[in-house]
Amino acid sequence: MQIKEEFTMKTQTQRLEKKSDSMVLAVILISTVYWVLDSILNIFFAKKFNLIAQLIGPDLYDIYIRVVVLCLLVILGSHAQSIINRLKEASQKLNESEELWRSLVETAPDTIMTVDHSGVIRFINHPLAEMPPGKVINRSLYDLLPGGYRETAKEIIKNVFQTGQTDMFEVYIEDKRSPVWYTFRVGPLRLDRRVIAATIISTNTTEFKRSEELMRYKELFENVGDCVFILNQKGIIIECNDRVRESTGFASSELVALPLAQLTIDDQVGLVRHMLEQGAGVKESRLELHLKTKDDSSIPFDINCRPIVYLGEPCILCVARNITQTKQLQNQLIRSERLAATGQLAASIAHEINSPLQGITALLNVLRSTYGSDDYLQQKLELIKGAFNSIRDTVRNLIDLNRPGTEKKQLTDVNQVIENTVALVRSLLKKNMIIPHVELKAKNATFFASPQQMGQVLMNLINNAVEAITGMSGYFERAHREQGGGGNIVIRTYNRDEEFVIELRDSGPGIPAADLNSIFDPFFTSKKSLGMGVGLAICLGIIEDHHGKITAANAPDGGAVFTIALPMRQPSRVDS
């Protein structure tokens, strides 16, 4: 309200001053016209038409003249005082404007300077290049710029003086600790339409440049098919793309600010520390890490790391590629090579064993024909023949380890094969207090397969499960003492796309993590005194001969899980 009253009074005062000035001008104009007319009449008519003098007389006319002159002097003096007051007010306003301009310039966050035609700084509001304004004024701006930008600055300032148009240029000052970007906006300073100086506003645009850099990195992250993340020098994740979140299952808030060492399995923490110790000293490093997922599993990654500068800070860019399939192919290749070596070894052993066996068999046939009437000897020879047959079958199985099965493939109901196999081992399961649970949910279970081989695979897996369950410490005591303390084997089937899947799960101790990648290798066994380690290798060979896959894993609630996936339509079917 007070501001409004002051504004109203100020407006009224200005109006009165304008009115007073108009009256003064009117009086001066009328007086001037009168004196001009009076002087003309006096000159041409020798004062005969001086009506005022004739009316009032010469003496009063002289007094009249003096009064008029005095009034004019008073009016002119008053008007002169008004002009003086206006000049003072204008000077005060000019000083206030100058103070306001200086205040604005001094408090402006940007650096403001003026330069002449030669680029010499005539005014500056802030320190430049860590030098106070007093040491910067009268120095050439070009000497204060990095060498690569001097010619550009000269050209732009020269163009502003010539054309009067605003222009700009950017300067990058490289610093290992914190690089800085500056933007210089150059504009003309005119006097009577003539450019007398160039005004330069220098703005620190480092944060803006960092934002642009961040947007470029973001776009790169989201368009890369591999996992990409950035680590600071302490190994903490400061940025990652969607591939990392999709692979590990962690949310962004869980990954950002998480040390990479905590995302790595315990055995490989040392590799991460070694990579961080190398730091910027190595242009590029490569390592293989198993990163944890949210479901407590791990995924192997081939990680390529290199030092970068991200948002002005030294960091490490890591590009990680999921090599799970590569590992599986490598394991299959290694397994195939081992099977090939085993086949060569088996063929060599079979040759060495079969040669003497043929001689012994021939001798036995001679003894049987020579002593045909000796029943006792014939019985003993029959026992020996059975032992030789057992040796022959063992050698044949050893050879078939690399090319399993010679049984003819035919249309087979695999669900029926499973029921028949479980029926054969039911007494064994009952003896060991193990309850079988058969869930045959596969509606389509008939395809070309060898029923003998499929039964052999299932029999082998059941026997392994029985040995694993009964091998647990105190199993039989607990089974007899507690109701439901025995073991369980669950066999279920289902269809998945165009595959027939068999899943066998037991309640045993599970498979040691170190053995998961080796249990299908020939001659690998975890049994201390018994077992040759060829059972699962033969199962693998049979399943691969059916163009299927067999995998082993541990169930989350304990026990081992074997999964067999068989194609309902095989690429090629060769009956043998």
Side-chain angles (χ1 to χ4, degrees):
M1 189 68 181
Q2 184 178 358
I3 296 174
K4 184 176 180 180
E5 291 177 354
E6 291 178 355
F7 178 76
T8 304
M9 292 177 63
K10 187 174 181 180
T11 304
Q12 292 176 354
T13 302
Q14 291 176 349
R15 289 177 179 175
L16 289 174
E17 289 178 351
K18 290 182 179 179
K19 188 175 181 180
S20 174
D21 292 343
S22 300
M23 292 175 66
V24 169
L25 292 174
V27 171
I28 293 173
L29 180 61
I30 293 170
S31 300
T32 302
V33 171
Y34 171 77
W35 281 110
V36 169
L37 292 174
D38 187 66
S39 299
I40 292 172
L41 291 174
N42 286 332
I43 292 172
F44 288 99
F45 296 99
K47 301 182 180 179
K48 292 181 179 181
F49 289 95
N50 193 339
L51 298 178
I52 299 175
Q54 293 178 2
L55 292 173
I56 63 175
D59 296 333
L60 291 176
Y61 179 76
D62 184 58
I63 295 171
Y64 163 75
I65 294 298
R66 293 176 184 274
V67 170
V68 170
V69 171
L70 179 62
C71 290
L72 288 174
L73 291 175
V74 171
I75 292 171
L76 290 175
S78 175
H79 187 63
Q81 183 64 39
S82 175
I83 293 174
I84 292 172
N85 291 337
R86 288 187 184 182
L87 290 175
K88 288 183 179 180
E89 184 179 355
S91 175
Q92 183 180 358
K93 289 182 178 180
L94 181 62
N95 292 333
E96 291 177 355
S97 299
E98 183 179 358
E99 290 297 325
L100 178 61
W101 180 82
R102 288 187 175 275
S103 176
L104 291 174
V105 169
E106 294 296 333
T107 57
D110 299 331
T111 300
I112 302 174
M113 68 185 85
T114 57
V115 299
D116 58 16
H117 290 79
S118 59
V120 176
I121 299 174
R122 298 304 181 184
F123 169 81
I124 190 169
N125 65 336
H126 290 323
L128 183 66
E130 300 182 355
M131 292 187 294
K135 293 185 178 181
V136 176
I137 293 176
N138 296 327
R139 291 192 60 177
S140 174
L141 171 65
Y142 311 129
D143 295 338
L144 303 177
L145 295 175
Y149 299 95
R150 292 175 184 175
E151 291 301 322
T152 302
K154 286 181 182 179
E155 188 67 25
I156 288 177
I157 292 176
K158 179 181 177 181
N159 185 63
V160 169
F161 274 99
Q162 291 178 348
T163 64
Q165 295 180 353
T166 303
D167 206 342
M168 62 174 292
F169 63 96
E170 292 183 335
V171 174
Y172 175 68
I173 301 177
E174 189 172 359
D175 189 340
K176 292 183 178 180
R177 293 178 300 174
S178 181
V180 182
W181 278 95
Y182 286 98
T183 298
F184 289 81
R185 296 177 177 85
V186 187
L189 182 61
R190 292 184 175 88
L191 180 63
D192 295 333
R193 298 183 180 180
R194 184 171 60 89
V195 178
I196 61 173
T199 302
I200 302 177
I201 301 177
S202 173
T203 305
N204 188 330
T205 56
T206 305
E207 292 300 325
F208 176 74
K209 290 293 183 180
R210 288 181 177 179
S211 299
E212 285 186 337
E213 183 181 2
L214 179 61
M215 292 301 296
R216 288 197 299 269
Y217 273 111
K218 285 284 189 182
E219 184 177 357
L220 175 64
F221 283 176
E222 301 309 324
N223 289 300
V224 172
D226 295 330
C227 298
V228 181
F229 50 89
I230 297 178
L231 309 175
N232 62 13
Q233 290 184 310
K234 296 181 180 179
I236 297 175
I237 299 174
I238 60 176
E239 191 65 54
C240 63
N241 67 348
D242 287 339
R243 307 295 90 73
V244 180
R245 297 187 283 270
E246 292 170 0
S247 298
T248 62
F250 290 104
S252 299
S253 58
E254 297 173 309
L255 288 172
V256 174
L258 178 72
L260 180 62
Q262 293 186 14
L263 196 63
T264 308
I265 61 175
D266 297 338
D267 295 342
Q268 296 180 330
V269 173
L271 291 176
V272 178
R273 291 177 181 171
H274 179 67
M275 182 264 292
L276 295 175
E277 289 172 358
Q278 289 180 329
V282 179
K283 292 184 178 180
E284 185 174 343
S285 60
R286 194 168 184 172
L287 64 160
E288 183 180 314
L289 293 178
H290 284 70
L291 301 183
K292 298 177 183 177
T293 61
K294 198 164 186 177
D295 58 0
D296 294 330
S297 60
S298 64
I299 301 175
F301 284 94
D302 181 33
I303 302 179
N304 192 305
C305 305
R306 62 174 58 207
I308 62 168
V309 176
Y310 179 67
L311 298 180
E313 299 293 335
C315 298
I316 300 175
L317 174 66
C318 299
V319 180
R321 176 163 295 179
N322 190 330
I323 56 173
T324 302
Q325 293 183 350
T326 304
K327 283 289 185 182
Q328 291 176 350
L329 292 175
Q330 289 177 349
N331 292 335
Q332 290 178 2
L333 179 61
I334 293 172
R335 189 175 294 118
S336 299
E337 291 176 350
R338 289 177 177 175
L339 285 172
T342 303
Q344 294 175 359
L345 177 62
S348 177
I349 294 175
H351 176 72
E352 296 297 329
I353 294 176
N354 285 333
S355 295
L357 281 181
Q358 289 175 359
I360 297 174
T361 302
L363 180 58
L364 289 176
N365 290 332
V366 172
L367 290 174
R368 291 181 64 182
S369 60
T370 304
Y371 302 97
S373 58
D374 191 339
D375 294 337
Y376 178 77
L377 181 60
Q378 292 294 329
Q379 292 177 359
K380 298 301 182 183
L381 292 175
E382 192 66 30
L383 292 175
I384 295 174
K385 181 182 178 182
F388 283 146
N389 288 337
S390 178
I391 295 173
R392 181 197 62 193
D393 294 339
T394 301
V395 173
R396 185 183 65 181
N397 288 335
L398 194 60
I399 294 175
D400 289 343
L401 185 63
N402 195 41
R403 46 179 179 82
T406 57
E407 290 82 358
K408 181 179 179 180
K409 293 184 177 67
Q410 57 190 5
L411 279 175
T412 303
D413 185 350
V414 182
N415 278 344
Q416 187 62 48
V417 172
I418 294 173
E419 288 183 345
N420 296 340
T421 304
V422 173
L424 290 174
V425 297
R426 197 171 295 277
S427 59
L428 173 66
L429 299 176
K430 185 176 181 180
K431 176 183 176 182
N432 290 282
M433 305 183 70
I434 297 174
I435 301 174
H437 303 274
V438 181
E439 303 173 5
L440 305 179
K441 296 182 179 181
K443 296 181 179 179
N444 189 0
T446 302
F447 53 93
F448 278 92
S450 169
Q452 293 83 8
Q453 290 179 346
M454 298 308 299
Q456 181 181 355
V457 170
L458 196 62
M459 182 75 74
N460 203 331
L461 294 179
I462 293 174
N463 286 334
N464 286 346
V466 171
E467 292 176 1
I469 294 171
T470 57
M472 292 189 297
S473 177
Y475 167 75
F476 286 103
E477 292 83 353
R478 185 170 58 255
H480 285 92
R481 184 176 64 253
E482 301 176 7
Q483 184 177 1
N488 293 279
I489 295 178
V490 179
I491 303 172
R492 70 187 192 99
T493 64
Y494 57 90
N495 293 113
R496 182 176 60 194
D497 297 331
E498 294 186 358
E499 290 182 330
F500 177 83
V501 182
I502 306 172
E503 187 179 281
L504 190 145
R505 182 189 302 249
D506 62 52
S507 60
I511 304 169
D515 297 344
L516 277 173
N517 294 326
S518 306
I519 59 173
F520 292 106
D521 293 343
F523 305 115
F524 175 83
T525 179
S526 59
K527 302 169 186 177
K528 301 300 181 182
S529 57
L530 297 175
M532 294 184 62
V534 296
L536 288 178
I538 292 175
C539 292
L540 174 66
I542 292 173
I543 297 303
E544 289 182 344
D545 182 61
H546 284 72
H547 306 285
K549 294 181 181 179
I550 179 171
T551 58
N554 288 316
D557 54 350
V561 180
F562 285 86
T563 304
I564 300 171
L566 297 167
M568 303 293 293
R569 296 180 181 179
Q570 298 182 9
S572 61
R573 178 174 58 86
V574 179
D575 296 339
S576 54

